[in-house]
């Protein structure tokens, strides 16, 4: 796990596939996504000197984002939150629907799978379900937005007081040129594009994605420029 400080109270946690974010309010911590299976131990080591892990917010059900959540919750007592549409998949009650791949996405997905642990992983013992519209008690008021398309229950988290936006996999940056792009491996592309536009309408200086480097300045402008290309080209 690579750790990158984005702000004095915000760290990016990068895994072989995907990434998570650790936010600190005084001595209380919030984790946005939990990495793949096996991530709990390094996250706990990082978090321990910073404060108590209070909550884990899961942006969607894919295993590179939820794999570490069960072990972390069991070890720390942290509350786990997920959208009500994705929560049954996170709990392991039902299988997650597979993405509707673009042809060019298939080799990317196959490559990503090579870097994920095989087999099942510990599931969170309990999940607090959200629907979108909630304001969570961290970061000066964390607004939960339902942004379907990548999965039916994908969510984003916006911290208006700090100008920070966590998009999950609704938005990404290209590993080739760093351009802001629509997230890949979506269930419903039209919904995903609509959600991208919704996120681009928010005010944020720092945008944090599930995959790819964050935009660390004037993020709203970058998201709007990118969203406009999907209007013209898609």
């Amino acid at each position: 796990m690579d750790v990158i400080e984005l702000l004095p109270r915000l760290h990016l946690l990068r895994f072989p596939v995907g990434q998570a974010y650790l936010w600190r309010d005084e001595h209380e911590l919030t984790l946005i996504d939990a990495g793949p299976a096996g991530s709990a131990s390094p996250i706990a080591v990082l978090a321990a000197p910073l404060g108590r892990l209070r909550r884990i917010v899961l942006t969607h059900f894919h295993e590179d984002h939820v794999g570490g959540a069960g072990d972390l919750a069991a070890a720390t007592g942290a509350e786990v939150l997920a959208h009500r549409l994705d929560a049954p998949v996170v709990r392991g009650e039902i299988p997650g629907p597979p993405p509707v791949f673009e042809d060019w996405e298939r080799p990317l997905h196959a490559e990503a799978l090579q870097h994920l642990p095989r087999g099942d992983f510990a599931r969170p013992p309990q999940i607090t379900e959200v629907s979108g519209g909630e304001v969570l008690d961290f970061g000066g008021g964390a607004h939960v937005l339902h942004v379907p398309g990548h999965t039916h229950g994908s969510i984003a988290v916006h911290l208006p007081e700090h100008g920070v936006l966590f998009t999950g996999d609704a938005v990404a940056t290209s590993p080739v040129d760093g351009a802001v792009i629509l997230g890949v491996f979506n269930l419903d592309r039209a919904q995903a594009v609509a959600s991208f536009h919704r996120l681009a309408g928010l005010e944020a200086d720092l945008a944090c994605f599930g995959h790819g480097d964050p935009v660390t300045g004037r993020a709203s402008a970058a998201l709007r420029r990118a969203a406009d290309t999907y209007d013209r080209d898609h």
Side-chain angles (χ1 to χ4, degrees):
M1 181 181 79
D2 295 328
V3 180
I4 301 169
E5 182 179 292
L6 300 176
L7 297 171
R9 63 175 66 210
L10 176 63
H11 288 82
L12 182 159
L13 317 182
R14 182 165 283 159
F15 307 100
V17 178
Q19 48 209 30
Y21 296 87
L22 188 66
W23 178 272
R24 178 174 57 84
D25 287 304
E26 297 298 330
H27 300 294
E28 187 171 275
L29 308 175
T30 297
L31 187 66
I32 308 295
D33 289 324
S39 302
S41 180
I43 292 174
V45 169
L46 172 68
L50 300 177
R52 179 175 77 98
L53 184 60
R54 170 67 179 79
R55 64 182 66 79
I56 303 166
V57 181
L58 302 175
T59 62
H60 61 289
F61 70 74
H62 288 154
E63 62 191 87
D64 55 320
H65 294 258
V66 308
D71 286 336
L72 267 174
T76 66
E79 178 185 21
V80 179
L81 299 94
H83 192 275
R84 60 180 181 81
L85 296 178
D86 276 18
V89 185
V90 177
R91 287 192 292 261
E93 297 169 355
I94 60 173
V100 179
F101 291 112
E102 303 283 316
D103 286 343
W104 60 270
E105 292 178 333
R106 293 182 185 277
L108 296 179
H109 188 257
E111 172 66 19
L113 290 178
Q114 297 300 312
H115 298 282
L116 289 175
R118 301 300 178 96
D120 205 1
F121 49 87
R123 303 286 178 168
Q126 186 173 347
I127 295 176
T128 299
E129 297 186 6
V130 298
S131 298
E134 296 87 353
V135 180
L136 306 179
D137 186 23
F138 73 93
H143 295 246
V144 178
L145 299 96
H146 183 207
V147 287
H150 184 66
T151 66
H152 297 313
S154 286
I155 59 173
V157 180
H158 185 214
L159 310 183
E161 182 175 310
H162 298 277
V164 176
L165 175 64
F166 303 97
T167 72
D169 283 3
V171 187
T173 50
S174 167
V176 177
D177 59 8
V180 177
I181 59 173
L182 181 72
V184 296
F185 313 153
N186 297 305
L187 285 175
D188 186 318
R189 184 179 176 82
Q191 278 192 334
V193 170
S195 292
F196 191 174
H197 281 277
R198 183 183 181 196
L199 293 173
L202 302 173
E203 292 302 320
D205 193 53
L206 172 61
C208 300
F209 312 125
H211 299 270
D213 292 335
V215 176
T216 57
R218 303 188 64 188
S220 296
L223 265 65
R224 287 169 192 149
R225 286 193 300 270
D228 285 346
T229 68
Y230 288 91
D231 275 344
R232 291 193 300 268
D233 299 334
H234 299 274

